[in-house]
Amino acid sequence: VNHFMTHYISQMQLSKKMFDGIEYAGICHKRFLEICPFEKANMEVAQWLLNYLLIQAGYVMITLHEEDASYEKALKAAQHPSCPDIDGFTMYIAQMVKQQ
């Protein structure tokens, strides 16, 4: 887990330079959930991270629900091993921000 988190931090520092606020927050959220560094509460920490990054970028906080079929579908598509649909996931996050 230490190696994955170290790589995550450096990967996210590079991503911050390449993506706008919503895309960056969504990518950080997705990647954190892929690593799952904690025994419990990974979703809660990932949501906190997402909202922290959204606020830093000047957006509002959002609430994601693991039970939401749209969220689950967008996340699974973004985590697809051979052809991840990151754009679809960030569009989902953007729609959630817009609804607030």
Side-chain angles (χ1 to χ4, degrees), residues 2-100:
N2 287 338
H3 170 73
F4 289 124
M5 289 306 293
T6 300
H7 184 259
Y8 172 78
I9 298 294
S10 63
Q11 194 178 39
M12 293 306 99
Q13 288 171 342
L14 290 173
S15 294
K16 188 172 186 173
K17 298 173 187 175
M18 297 170 47
F19 299 102
D20 77 1
I22 290 177
E23 289 175 312
Y24 176 65
I27 290 168
C28 289
H29 173 82
K30 176 195 85 70
R31 185 68 183 116
F32 185 86
L33 287 174
E34 290 170 345
I35 296 170
C36 286
F38 303 115
E39 194 170 308
K40 296 180 182 177
N42 287 296
M43 179 61 180
E44 290 85 355
V45 174
Q47 181 149 336
W48 176 86
L49 176 64
L50 173 74
N51 282 314
Y52 174 76
L53 296 172
L54 286 172
I55 289 169
Q56 274 198 326
Y59 297 102
V60 297
M61 290 177 41
I62 63 173
T63 302
L64 301 174
H65 301 280
E66 288 180 278
E67 309 84 33
D68 178 1
S70 298
Y71 168 73
E72 184 180 337
K73 182 180 178 183
L75 181 62
K76 283 187 179 193
Q79 293 175 331
H80 192 277
S82 63
C83 186
D85 180 12
I86 302 299
D87 291 340
F89 185 68
T90 56
M91 287 299 295
Y92 175 82
I93 299 295
Q95 288 172 342
M96 294 296 291
V97 167
K98 188 177 178 180
Q99 291 176 5
Q100 296 301 318

